[in-house]
Amino acid sequence: MPFSLMRIALVAACCAVACRHFVHMLQLESYQLPGYRRWLSRNRDKLLKRSVVVGLGGAILSWYLPIFLALFIAEESRRASVAGWMMLVAFVAASAILAVIDLRAPAKKPLVFTRRVCRLYVAIALLCLAGCGILSFFNLPPYLLYAGNAYVVLAATAAVQPFEGRINSSFYERAKRKLEARPELIKIGITGSYGKTSTKFVLRDILSQKYRVLATPASFNTPMGLSRVINEQLKPEHELFIAEMGARHVGDIRELCELVRPKYGLLTSVGPQHLETFGSILNICNTKYELIESLPKDGVAFFSSDGSYVDRLFAQCEIEKHRVGFNPDRQPYMLAKDIEVGPQGSRFTLQCEDGTAMRCRTKLLGKHNIQNIALCAAVAKKLGLMMEEIARGVRILEPVEHRLQLIPGVMTVIDDAFNSNPAGAQEALNVLSGFSGRRLIVTPGMIEQGEKEDELNYAFGTQMVSAVDVAILVGPNHTKPIFQGLVDSGFSREEIHVVADLDEASALLRAIGRPGDTVLFENDLPDNYNE
């Protein structure tokens, strides 16, 4: 094989391998080009370090290496050949080292080589070959393509989108037909700014006392996620299907409802989550309400009363509706009262509007979990469960991973690292304040809060003062508002530690932690977030 063709093939292969990092970020952005473009705009410095330096460095060296070799090799053709081979070997070696470093880098949510990723990689490989060929045709070093790896992924994604759209549409329609063929199946939709996943699993465990239930696993809450669960896991023996419905844009919930067509809808909360994509709290309200608007005329809507946005949406609902909560003045269908919250769980009484009541206990931490349980109990009562069955379901509930999950040890850990929002962060601090001994928090603060992010993180800092003895802030730039909120509220600067990342935070905990301490891990930044 001529050297030029070998160089094109090897450089294209190196570029395709290096695209793995950007494909990972694309997957974390749910393959949405607007989200991927936002990630690119936020990470220009990282792009320079990872790609542009290598690509431009390779190109510059390929130009100047023959000049340098002229000091040692007189014959021009031999000099060009030696320089070409030296550059190619060096580039492949450097690319391989970077690829290994990327592969070994810890990831909270690793890249999953789905069929979609494999199809995308075919397009990436073809683009890399074409790009290297075009550069070589114009006598430019093909190493330059490495500088544009992030945009190769962007171009490949745009190129395959029509094809992926047809595949997704086919997958979606197959799931839709499967549900339409099961008119007897009870279908329930759950949405909210936060609390969706926890509520889903609570509802699943309670309803399992009477029904054979299928609930979407983990955070499967997109059209393709729901379609996959329906196509692959829904069996004839299932009597009830629970679908978690997530959203980042107006219209997302409506699309999910067109697939599932639920008869029952639960609204857990409305708050400033994903403000970066929604733009306003009004858009969030309207999007969450799409679930209620999509219910049939004989449908039933359930609202978790919050004295704010959710209650306003409850007021405008025109079908059968019920709300739950702690305030008897709001005449809830299911009232949670006589609450005892402690570091090992909670006890409370659930009282239905029909007068039936039952004392319940759960291992779940936090008052907000009692609200979620009451919401699920209301649905269960409507679906024919007795209060004794509901209490039995509540008793077997297990904490959801990374959502106020209690991990005993020499130091007690409260793992609330899944994500963070204003209401959830406040409740996590309430839980932490109930523990004896020294209380520590490890947090990077809240993200995706739009223009209010600094304001909300400042408030988070002020709220920590009454619950925290030692604050470990992860990320010196993003946590500045938290630091300021702590200091302005009189928190000792000596008890504030700012670290670069979670590894450094863990090392610090090992150094300063004591037996009997309680540590709250509040939020963990996703892989596609950079300061």
Side-chain angles (χ1 to χ4, degrees):
M1 178 187 291
F3 174 78
S4 58
L5 291 180
M6 182 183 292
R7 185 174 67 166
I8 288 172
L10 286 175
V11 174
C14 289
C15 290
V17 170
C19 284
R20 178 192 174 278
H21 173 76
F22 302 105
V23 172
H24 186 197
M25 298 303 107
L26 177 71
Q27 188 176 75
L28 293 175
E29 294 290 348
S30 303
Y31 304 102
Q32 298 295 314
L33 286 179
Y36 180 66
R37 290 193 193 98
R38 281 194 298 272
W39 179 83
L40 288 178
S41 67
R42 290 197 303 260
N43 290 272
R44 300 291 182 193
D45 59 331
K46 195 170 185 178
L47 296 181
L48 287 169
K49 294 174 186 175
R50 295 186 65 93
S51 298
V52 177
V53 169
V54 176
L56 286 180
I60 292 169
L61 283 174
S62 68
W63 281 321
Y64 286 98
L65 187 57
I67 298 173
F68 173 76
L69 289 178
L71 298 173
F72 308 97
I73 303 174
E75 186 181 342
E76 185 177 349
S77 59
R78 184 165 173 263
R79 185 168 67 239
S81 175
V82 170
W85 278 108
M86 287 178 65
M87 266 309 306
L88 183 58
V89 170
F91 181 82
V92 171
S95 299
I97 291 169
L98 289 175
V100 170
I101 291 172
D102 179 56
L103 197 60
R104 291 185 175 180
K108 303 170 188 73
K109 192 174 181 181
L111 172 65
V112 181
F113 276 87
T114 61
R115 292 179 181 178
R116 180 168 186 168
V117 169
C118 293
R119 290 192 295 267
L120 177 61
Y121 247 107
V122 171
I124 289 170
L126 292 174
L127 279 177
C128 287
L129 277 171
C132 289
I134 291 169
L135 288 168
S136 295
F137 179 79
F138 287 102
N139 292 318
L140 292 170
Y143 311 113
L144 279 170
L145 185 69
Y146 198 98
N149 283 335
Y151 300 97
V152 169
V153 173
L154 184 68
T157 305
V160 301
Q161 263 197 339
F163 178 67
E164 292 295 339
R166 286 193 292 272
I167 293 176
N168 290 347
S169 178
S170 171
F171 205 55
Y172 179 94
E173 290 300 325
R174 181 153 64 94
K176 191 173 181 180
R177 288 193 299 271
K178 188 173 182 179
L179 286 180
E180 289 172 348
R182 297 281 309 275
E184 82 289 354
L185 184 70
I186 301 169
K187 293 171 289 188
I188 302 174
I190 300 176
T191 194
S193 296
Y194 22 83
K196 298 183 293 295
T197 303
S198 298
T199 301
K200 173 183 63 182
F201 290 133
V202 169
L203 184 62
R204 178 200 63 188
D205 290 349
I206 292 176
L207 291 178
S208 292
Q209 301 301 309
K210 181 180 177 68
Y211 295 96
R212 289 184 288 273
V213 180
L214 173 65
T216 52
S219 293
F220 277 58
N221 56 23
T222 64
M224 287 305 99
L226 292 186
S227 296
R228 180 180 173 185
V229 173
I230 295 164
N231 287 328
E232 298 177 1
Q233 299 183 30
L234 183 63
K235 307 299 180 185
E237 60 266 24
H238 288 127
E239 301 170 295
L240 191 147
F241 177 55
I242 304 173
E244 178 183 342
M245 298 182 172
R248 285 175 174 262
H249 305 88
V250 175
D252 284 354
I253 301 295
R254 185 171 291 110
E255 182 181 4
L256 293 166
C257 289
E258 288 173 0
L259 168 63
V260 177
R261 299 191 180 280
K263 181 178 179 180
Y264 301 90
L266 284 69
L267 182 54
T268 65
S269 57
V270 173
Q273 190 78 335
H274 302 310
L275 264 175
E276 188 175 57
T277 52
F278 277 114
S280 70
I281 195 71
L282 177 61
N283 286 338
I284 295 174
C285 285
N286 292 338
T287 301
K288 301 305 177 185
Y289 195 69
E290 287 171 4
L291 169 59
I292 310 303
E293 290 177 319
S294 299
L295 298 178
K297 290 183 179 179
D298 62 343
V300 187
F302 297 86
F303 297 79
S304 190
S305 179
D306 63 354
S308 184
Y309 300 111
V310 175
D311 282 322
R312 294 176 207 172
L313 295 177
F314 172 84
Q316 70 185 63
C317 178
E318 296 181 352
I319 62 172
E320 182 181 346
K321 59 185 178 180
H322 304 282
R323 62 179 163 187
V324 306
F326 306 117
N327 189 345
D329 295 337
R330 296 195 185 115
Q331 299 179 326
Y333 175 76
M334 188 68 68
L335 173 69
K337 63 178 186 178
D338 304 328
I339 296 169
E340 300 173 19
V341 177
Q344 303 304 321
S346 309
R347 292 178 180 269
F348 53 94
T349 298
L350 289 176
Q351 179 177 310
C352 188
E353 68 175 8
D354 64 6
T356 57
M358 180 61 62
R359 190 68 177 166
C360 301
R361 71 173 186 269
T362 179
K363 290 182 283 188
L364 303 189
L365 299 175
K367 196 173 180 182
H368 70 295
N369 271 319
I370 299 175
Q371 180 99 344
N372 293 339
I373 290 170
L375 185 65
C376 297
V379 179
K381 195 73 166 65
K382 271 292 173 182
L383 289 173
L385 272 74
M386 305 296 290
M387 292 299 285
E388 292 81 1
E389 293 175 304
I390 294 171
R392 190 163 61 243
V394 172
R395 194 161 54 248
I396 66 170
L397 296 176
E398 292 290 338
V400 180
E401 191 176 21
H402 306 309
R403 293 169 173 87
L404 285 181
Q405 180 185 11
L406 190 65
I407 305 173
V410 176
M411 289 191 294
T412 300
V413 171
I414 305 172
D415 182 354
D416 197 38
F418 180 74
N419 60 27
S420 191
N421 57 75
Q426 177 65 72
E427 185 56 39
L429 291 174
N430 291 340
V431 170
L432 180 63
S433 66
F435 284 76
S436 58
R438 200 171 59 143
R439 301 181 294 259
L440 299 84
I441 188 170
V442 178
T443 183
M446 291 171 268
I447 63 170
E448 292 188 329
Q449 302 296 325
E451 295 178 353
K452 289 184 173 291
E453 189 163 288
D454 285 353
E455 176 186 336
L456 292 171
N457 277 319
Y458 178 87
F460 183 32
T462 64
Q463 293 159 3
M464 284 184 196
V465 175
S466 59
V468 172
D469 299 304
V470 179
I472 302 175
L473 308 182
V474 182
N477 295 323
H478 185 257
T479 58
K480 284 180 181 177
I482 303 175
F483 184 96
Q484 198 60 48
L486 284 164
V487 171
D488 289 351
S489 300
F491 198 84
S492 170
R493 287 175 179 264
E494 294 180 358
E495 302 298 344
I496 306 174
H497 305 270
V498 181
V499 297
D501 52 37
L502 192 58
D503 289 339
E504 190 177 334
S506 299
L508 179 62
L509 268 179
R510 288 192 294 270
I512 68 173
R514 306 169 189 164
D517 286 353
T518 301
V519 185
L520 169 64
F521 284 85
E522 181 61 21
N523 202 14
D524 190 7
L525 296 177
D527 296 297
N528 54 335
Y529 182 85
N530 251 5
E531 283 208 321

